Amino acid sequence: MNWRLRWARHHLSALIQDSELRVLGLALVCAVAASSAVQLFGDRMARAITAQSGESLGADLIISARSPIDDTAISALNPQLRMARTIHLPSVIWFGDSNHLAGLKAVDEHYPLKGELRTAAAPLHEERVARQIPAPGSAWVDAQLWSELRLQRDATIEVGATTLRVSRLLTYEPDRGSGFVDIAPRLLINMQDLPATKLLQPGSRAQYRVLVSGDEDSLQQVKALEFPPDTQLSTPADARPEIRSAVSRAESFLALASMTASLLGAIAVGLCAHQYGQRLRADVALLRCLGAARRDILGALLISLLAMASVAGGLGAGIGWAVQFLLQDLAQLMLLPSLPPPHPLALAQAWLIALILLAGFALPPLLDATRAAPIAVLRNDNPQQRAGWGWQFAALGGLVGLLALQAPSWSMLGAVIAGQALTAALLAVLSLAILALLRPLRHAALRGWRLGLGNLLRRTGLSIAQSMALGLGLLALLLLTVVRHDLLQGWQNKLPPDTPNQFLINIQSDQVEPLQAFLKARGVTAQRIWPMARARLVAVNDQPVDADSFSDPETQRWINRDFNLSWADQLGDDNRMVEGQFWGPEAHGQALISAELYVRERLGVGIGDTLSLDFAGDVRRFTIHHLREVDWESFQPNFFLLTPPGVLDAVPATWLTSFYLPPEQRSAMRDLSQTFPGVTVLDLDALMDQVRTIMQRIVGALEMVFVFTVAAGLIVLLAAMEAGRHERRREIALMRTLGASRREVRQALLSEFAALGALSGLVAALCAQAVGWVLAAQVFEIPYEIRWLTVVGSAAAGAVLVCALAWLSLRPVTNTPPDRILRE
Amino acid sequence: MSLAIQAEKIEKSVGSGSSRIQILNATSVSIDSGETVAILGRSGAGKTTLLSLLAGLDQPSAGRILLDGHALNGLDEEQRAKVRAGRVGFVFQSFQLLSGFTALENVRLSAELAGLSDARERAISALKDVELGHRLEHLPRQLSGGEKQRIALARAFVARPAILFADEPTGNLDAATGAHIVELMFALNAQHGTTLVLVTHDEALAARCQRQLRLRDGQLVNA
Ligand SMILES: Nc1ncnc2c1ncn2[C@@H]1O[C@H](COP(=O)(O)OP(=O)(O)OP(=O)(O)O)[C@@H](O)[C@H]1O
Ligand SMILES: [Mg+2]
């Protein structure tokens, strides 16, 4: 082993023995552990949530097409894959003289692959989980069709060319879809009965589906298969907008947590390396003096950095891996479904993060140290050298690389970088301002305090750097504790316990008032009551359209259905204007229409385009007045299309309303359907429970992952305390030699750090409120209140925390005889 | 007899404008191989500055320096380091040992930089020469000032340098320890026939050298 390796080994062992390198090592390990745990767990978490929402689709993957799907290739892939086949087609169902258009769904005996079917003997009877699909010759009908056709149990209905017996009321099917607009009457039959209906004719609007379920690899194989062009693959995330947005929000948050952890790690590594680099200069100067080539010194440093990256990367990834298993145990305690195995690539990435952290943040100051002039040995001094701009760019590049590795999207990367830059600037400006305010205070203070404050003011540069680092650390802690709690709480509150769980539809105009009285008498506060008319889209900009005018299967399906329209002169909170303004009273009676973004997405229309709608033979033409976006997570009635009041008065309409009904008042619904026979009751409790559970699980997982980021924040605090510790040691020793009492020295230190801590705590609290507000508005779309008490509390907590850390780090110094320090 | 050091009309100034200080003023000196020379002068006279120039640690503002026959002019720091390695030894007032290296490693480092193949054996024998054969694995912080300076001596001599530069080697030591170090240094010097350039305040120590030079007003004069 030559001196280079010995020197490298010395740096490595200093990882344990030297306080600065120890913090550096800790920061490295923590950043890597955090990001790998987040990567590993977040990845698995997202996959688990997706899998769980598979229950809401009845499968992990649905393949749908307009023509029969050849599924032999799928069954050939993997014997583990399970499959079910369904065929959907619109059909008019007859019962006696009455008829109604329903969505007919024929299913085979394997259906559903995930989740369950539930039925009842009749409306408002006890619900049971169905173990089998309807027997041949029988059909299950949902509540809406049941009431539309005024069915009884065992009624015989005509379906195409055959007749079927209504054996059960269908109360729940997993792939029903939750959006209110999706709800169309349903008829579920056995696949064996389908031929007899003779509904499957060429040109019939049938949709063929193959439901697939299996492990992820096999699903990937299925996705990779070649299908005819009109085939559509959909996964649970496609099917449920509210779950999709919850999952993507959770992914963003996990990414944010891990990005914050590595950012904090970078700061800690940079701070420590800068300090260590200062001390390294003496070694380098000596080596140079003795004739060592700079290349050799560099080589030795690179070896030690690589070794550090390996050790810390390995250790961090190992901890991340282990903790992620721990998380899994916790996850199971929380009744999360079992997680799929972690991805080995995530581990490689963890190592890469260690490397980038060292290369971007430790290498520059250390490289800089290798430029130390040998003459410094003779002069016995250690001139501090400013890092060149080149290195600042290297650090910036490292930062971007680090974040880019973990950011799920470019826009998020941009937002995080801009946010961090703004935060840093805000921290710097606030620190400067508060320091300036402190200046006059110094003279008023006691001797010990005067010294401490003086120290703070004298070293403005270091004070600001330290207060920024401390501020960032505290900011991370605050964001992750106080603000996060508010945000997650706010998010969960989007679905408060009194969210409507009962929907009444098919209310006739003459039933509106008696129904409202009925509900009021039972203490139920009904939300708004909406009129609703049904229509079919027949032309866009006067060009006739039907399903064949569009190639996209989703649009085809949508065009095929009746559109539900309503009219209104005001919108709920869950509607946001995207383009144009909502209309005022002057729009009354005008042929205008308000379109949800989905309409633009499907039809490619915008403001000023016209839609012609057919209301049972009465065709009317509307001009799009504005575009709005609906928050479908709200569970409130909403419509893709709205007109002003007074336009559709002559069109046959029914009414609908929604309200929250506590479980113990369920019996009121039985009375209701007896008093108002035509009214259909939709019970959405089960659906909402599902969404609530998923939200809770996501929040739980996020809380677990944030623990690491909190640790990273603490390490930054530690690193900031280490900065200047060596310098401070000498100062303390000098003060003691010059006759300051131990008490005075401690008072000076305490006052300095208390001021520093309060300063950074205050700055961090102000920033945290700002960031929380931005996150609430931009990411969670929830209201956020600035909490002044938290601001004051954080400043105090910052002071206490920083003092405690300073005490721990400097107490041994005040106890050491000063001459020992000065002789070092 | 060949010249170990030849300096011609070297000047050194630092700073610029009104804060410019002329430390060395076109002074010249020649030192023979094997000669022992003491440089005296009051504090701030420029002794350390001169030493660093002669040893090639710094560059003069003007003038020419030959170190063991190698012209230092126009060489960059990297090339000068190469000239120094194995050819020049140093003893400093403040010892200057690598704090993370043991006594043996500190000495061995110098031997390795000189490109010696039996660095370890030589380092051990050099440490035995300074009576520290039993403290090979100790770190500098576990040793006294005198012991540290003896390690520095071992390090300085281990590569058999042609020239040894010493800047107040006893300045940080008490009289008795200092005297012991001086004895060792002169003994090793005699044994290896090294050229010695010694900076000191101590007239008695200077007197043990063959020649005494005094630095005054940026010029070297015979004392
Ligand atoms: N980098 C520098 N910048 C400004 N002045 C310098 C610099 N280096 C040396 N000097 C000045 O040059 C003069 C000579 O310094 P030098 O260290 O060589 O003196 P010295 O003779 O070794 O003194 P001492 O006996 O006290 O060690 C001093 O006045 C010093 O202040
Ligand atoms: Mg000097």
Side-chain angles (χ1 to χ4, degrees):
Chain A
M1 193 155 59
N2 65 20
W3 69 269
R4 275 161 292 204
L5 289 180
R6 277 200 299 277
W7 201 46
R9 187 194 58 190
H10 156 62
H11 293 306
L12 270 187
S13 61
L15 270 179
I16 296 167
Q17 283 153 10
D18 185 275
S19 64
E20 265 142 24
L21 275 194
R22 198 160 46 207
V23 177
L24 188 149
L26 260 179
L28 215 53
V29 170
C30 178
V32 173
S35 81
S36 56
V38 168
Q39 291 295 317
L40 290 168
F41 183 69
D43 175 44
R44 298 178 65 187
M45 181 75 200
R47 284 189 282 159
I49 291 171
T50 312
Q52 198 203 8
S53 45
E55 282 173 25
S56 61
L57 197 69
D60 292 321
L61 179 69
I62 290 183
I63 305 161
S64 49
R66 286 265 159 228
S67 48
I69 299 165
D70 177 14
D71 52 27
T72 46
I74 304 172
S75 14
L77 271 181
N78 192 331
Q80 280 207 318
L81 282 172
R82 295 186 303 127
M83 283 194 293
R85 289 156 197 84
T86 64
I87 296 174
H88 303 237
L89 74 170
S91 174
V92 176
I93 312 298
W94 288 87
F95 173 59
D97 288 337
S98 47
N99 67 72
H100 203 274
L101 183 73
L104 177 119
K105 175 159 142 189
V107 300
D108 72 5
E109 69 276 16
H110 304 295
Y111 174 88
L113 296 176
K114 293 207 153 178
E116 59 202 16
L117 287 169
R118 277 177 262 165
T119 63
L124 303 168
H125 279 63
E126 194 195 340
E127 188 184 56
R128 279 210 318 251
V129 173
R131 309 220 175 279
Q132 272 151 2
I133 59 166
S138 65
W140 294 350
V141 166
D142 76 347
Q144 195 180 344
L145 192 60
W146 190 290
S147 73
E148 298 269 8
L149 294 177
R150 294 166 201 264
L151 295 171
Q152 318 100 34
R153 205 163 168 202
D154 292 329
T156 301
I157 52 173
E158 289 170 46
V159 183
T162 191
T163 57
L164 295 169
R165 187 178 60 87
V166 176
S167 60
R168 303 282 295 173
L169 174 83
L170 180 65
T171 53
Y172 177 83
E173 57 185 317
D175 48 346
R176 178 82 199 224
S178 67
F180 181 76
V181 285
D182 263 359
I183 293 166
R186 167 73 81 217
L187 179 76
L188 190 76
I189 68 167
N190 193 303
M191 189 71 90
Q192 294 176 25
D193 289 331
L194 193 60
T197 65
K198 299 212 168 68
L199 288 171
L200 267 189
Q201 304 291 337
S204 70
R205 297 253 149 251
Q207 193 194 35
Y208 296 80
R209 288 187 182 182
V210 175
L211 282 63
V212 186
S213 166
D215 62 40
E216 215 183 333
D217 286 345
S218 329
L219 290 176
Q220 286 302 336
Q221 289 175 333
V222 175
K223 284 183 193 163
L225 287 176
E226 289 256 343
F227 291 106
D230 76 325
T231 314
Q232 216 194 9
L233 301 188
S234 45
T235 56
D238 304 327
R240 297 282 300 269
E242 76 282 1
I243 290 176
R244 180 176 46 197
S245 71
V247 169
S248 80
R249 194 166 289 169
E251 277 171 343
S252 306
F253 243 72
L254 284 171
L256 199 64
S258 97
M259 279 157 91
T260 312
S262 35
L263 200 78
L264 292 170
I267 294 168
V269 166
L271 274 173
C272 296
H274 179 76
Q275 289 298 310
Y276 192 68
Q278 293 298 348
R279 288 194 295 130
L280 198 66
R281 301 184 78 85
D283 274 17
V284 171
L286 179 65
L287 283 167
R288 301 284 280 144
C289 182
L290 297 178
R294 180 160 183 253
R295 182 169 25 89
D296 290 341
I297 297 176
L298 260 176
L301 263 180
L302 285 181
I303 291 174
S304 56
L305 280 186
L306 264 179
M308 265 182 222
S310 313
V311 171
L315 207 65
I319 293 176
W321 179 282
V323 164
Q324 168 270 139
F325 274 108
L326 199 80
L327 284 179
Q328 187 186 6
D329 277 355
L330 279 172
Q332 265 158 7
L333 277 183
M334 291 170 35
L335 299 177
L336 262 179
S338 69
L339 296 173
H343 216 285
L345 255 181
L347 283 184
Q349 183 178 338
W351 202 76
L352 199 61
I353 284 174
L355 213 59
I356 295 181
L357 275 175
L358 282 177
F361 302 93
L363 194 58
L366 297 188
L367 274 184
D368 200 53
T370 64
R371 295 225 175 71
I375 181 105
V377 180
L378 277 176
R379 297 246 163 259
N380 203 15
D381 74 352
N382 219 351
Q384 302 215 345
Q385 202 172 314
R386 291 209 151 268
W389 278 103
W391 295 129
Q392 322 231 339
F393 283 123
L396 210 64
L399 197 65
V400 173
L402 203 60
L403 297 181
L405 258 183
Q406 302 166 64
S409 69
W410 287 108
S411 62
M412 178 149 175
L413 179 66
V416 169
I417 289 175
Q420 302 288 357
L422 270 176
T423 313
L426 197 60
L427 277 169
V429 170
L430 281 174
S431 309
L432 255 175
I434 297 176
L435 270 184
L437 286 177
L438 271 180
R439 206 166 284 276
L441 261 178
R442 175 170 43 148
H443 304 288
L446 290 168
R447 193 170 113 130
W449 287 78
R450 198 155 59 218
L451 267 172
L453 287 182
N455 264 342
L456 209 58
L457 293 169
R458 200 159 33 77
R459 288 185 299 235
T460 312
L462 183 70
S463 296
I464 287 181
Q466 244 178 342
S467 121
M468 276 178 70
L470 285 172
L472 273 177
L474 288 172
L475 172 61
L477 294 186
L478 280 175
L479 274 181
L480 295 172
T481 50
V482 182
V483 176
R484 179 222 49 189
H485 180 78
D486 288 357
L487 287 179
L488 293 184
Q489 199 68 47
W491 182 38
Q492 278 182 304
N493 283 348
K494 280 184 90 169
L495 216 56
D498 58 352
T499 306
N501 57 358
Q502 306 294 325
F503 281 74
L504 302 185
I505 60 176
N506 280 335
I507 305 164
Q508 303 306 312
S509 299
D510 56 355
Q511 289 177 315
V512 169
E513 272 176 34
L515 185 82
Q516 279 173 326
F518 175 92
L519 290 175
K520 205 170 171 195
R522 277 156 188 80
V524 173
T525 25
Q527 313 267 328
R528 192 167 165 182
I529 187 153
W530 293 81
M532 191 176 90
R534 290 220 172 98
R536 289 179 72 89
L537 180 69
V538 290
V540 174
N541 288 331
D542 299 321
Q543 297 290 312
V545 292
D546 63 10
D548 293 330
S549 320
F550 299 92
S551 53
D552 163 42
E554 190 175 340
T555 311
Q556 289 180 343
R557 230 175 304 139
W558 187 57
I559 293 280
N560 262 330
R561 280 205 306 257
D562 275 348
F563 287 12
N564 294 327
L565 272 87
S566 188
W567 48 95
D569 51 10
Q570 65 186 71
L571 291 177
D573 294 343
D574 47 357
N575 279 258
R576 189 174 65 84
M577 298 307 294
V578 177
E579 257 177 56
Q581 294 289 318
F582 194 67
W583 45 59
E586 76 289 348
H588 188 95
Q590 301 211 29
L592 299 174
I593 205 156
S594 158
E596 212 268 344
L597 276 185
Y598 186 82
V599 177
R600 173 168 80 179
E601 212 177 291
R602 296 270 72 89
L603 302 177
V605 292
I607 293 177
D609 286 322
T610 65
L611 302 177
S612 302
L613 297 166
D614 179 348
F615 296 86
D618 175 5
V619 177
R620 302 202 185 188
R621 185 167 163 278
F622 297 89
T623 306
I624 296 180
H625 181 264
H626 57 253
L627 291 168
R628 71 201 146 82
E629 188 178 17
V630 170
D631 175 9
W632 297 105
E633 287 176 52
S634 72
F635 271 87
Q636 302 289 344
N638 265 300
F639 299 86
F640 284 135
L641 297 171
L642 284 174
T643 71
V647 187
L648 296 174
D649 288 350
V651 164
T654 57
W655 298 74
L656 69 102
T657 190
S658 64
F659 49 87
Y660 173 72
L661 188 74
E664 64 275 9
Q665 262 181 279
R666 273 296 143 76
S667 60
M669 288 297 101
R670 200 185 288 258
D671 298 349
L672 189 137
S673 50
Q674 274 157 12
T675 321
F676 306 96
V679 174
T680 309
V681 180
L682 297 175
D683 184 345
L684 292 190
D685 249 355
L687 257 169
M688 288 182 17
D689 270 352
Q690 209 181 20
V691 174
R692 276 210 189 89
T693 326
I694 288 174
M695 271 186 173
Q696 258 164 21
R697 287 173 184 177
I698 290 173
V699 168
L702 285 174
E703 310 228 295
M704 289 191 271
V705 160
F706 279 138
V707 171
F708 295 97
T709 318
V710 170
L714 280 173
I715 289 176
V716 170
L717 291 188
L718 216 65
M721 298 309 307
E722 279 303 306
R725 179 166 177 261
H726 276 264
E727 196 189 330
R728 221 170 239 119
R729 267 166 67 88
R730 292 192 76 82
E731 266 179 24
I732 292 171
L734 267 173
M735 277 171 72
R736 296 264 286 125
T737 327
L738 297 178
S741 73
R742 195 172 291 178
R743 217 181 110 235
E744 268 176 325
V745 169
R746 285 188 183 160
Q747 221 172 51
L749 281 176
L750 222 58
S751 60
E752 180 179 350
F753 284 111
L756 190 65
L759 167 67
S760 32
L762 187 64
V763 169
L766 289 173
C767 279
Q769 295 297 326
V771 174
W773 180 75
V774 170
L775 280 179
Q778 298 300 318
V779 182
F780 287 93
E781 292 160 22
I782 53 171
Y784 188 80
E785 255 174 63
I786 303 264
R787 300 227 212 146
W788 294 107
L789 208 65
T790 315
V791 173
V792 177
S794 314
V800 171
L801 193 61
V802 169
C803 277
L805 282 173
W807 191 248
L808 282 178
S809 124
L810 288 173
R811 206 187 124 82
V813 182
T814 56
N815 285 334
T816 315
D819 63 305
R820 259 200 36 211
I821 295 168
L822 291 178
R823 261 208 348 219
E824 265 170 15
Chain B
M1 194 169 255
S2 63
L3 286 176
I5 297 171
Q6 192 177 4
E8 286 170 16
K9 294 205 161 46
I10 49 171
E11 294 184 21
K12 181 72 183 177
S13 55
V14 292
S16 59
S18 58
S19 63
R20 190 181 159 93
I21 308 171
Q22 186 82 20
I23 307 172
L24 295 177
N25 205 348
T27 187
S28 302
V29 65
S30 297
I31 299 171
D32 289 330
S33 273
E35 196 181 4
T36 55
V37 178
I39 297 174
L40 291 152
R42 55 177 181 75
S43 177
K47 304 181 293 291
T48 299
T49 308
L50 176 67
L51 192 76
S52 70
L53 290 177
L54 296 182
L57 293 177
D58 201 1
Q59 271 185 312
S61 314
R64 218 165 76 89
I65 299 171
L66 283 171
L67 181 64
D68 198 25
H70 292 262
L72 295 180
N73 294 61
L75 297 189
D76 64 14
E77 171 46 41
E78 198 64 19
Q79 291 160 321
R80 281 185 273 131
K82 216 166 180 174
V83 173
R84 280 198 300 275
R87 194 169 279 123
V88 173
F90 289 94
V91 181
F92 308 99
Q93 179 175 357
S94 50
F95 322 134
Q96 303 285 4
L97 301 173
L98 285 183
S99 58
F101 274 27
T102 61
L104 178 58
E105 284 171 339
N106 263 294
V107 178
R108 190 174 162 183
L109 165 71
S110 181
E112 281 175 357
L113 285 173
L116 302 178
S117 55
D118 50 349
R120 189 182 142 82
E121 291 68 33
R122 290 233 206 169
I124 294 174
S125 101
L127 279 165
K128 281 185 180 149
D129 287 347
V130 294
E131 299 149 33
L132 280 175
H134 59 296
R135 308 293 297 268
L136 299 181
E137 301 303 331
H138 286 220
L139 288 169
R141 73 177 114 88
Q142 298 165 312
L143 299 166
S144 75
E147 286 163 340
K148 277 189 246 192
Q149 196 61 309
R150 277 189 276 156
I151 294 174
L153 274 181
R155 178 179 67 188
F157 282 103
V158 68
R160 311 267 154 78
I163 309 156
L164 179 68
F165 292 97
D167 193 355
E168 303 188 29
T170 58
N172 267 354
L173 302 170
D174 61 71
T177 315
H180 182 55
I181 293 289
V182 166
E183 289 314 319
L184 262 174
M185 187 170 73
F186 278 100
L188 286 165
N189 199 58
Q191 184 187 335
H192 298 300
T194 316
T195 310
L196 176 68
V197 181
L198 173 73
V199 166
T200 184
H201 284 249
D202 182 348
E203 302 279 347
L205 176 54
R208 298 189 56 164
C209 293
Q210 293 161 347
R211 184 147 63 114
Q212 291 81 30
L213 299 170
R214 192 170 293 277
L215 197 53
R216 187 181 293 147
D217 303 329
Q219 296 274 349
L220 275 173
V221 293
N222 284 320

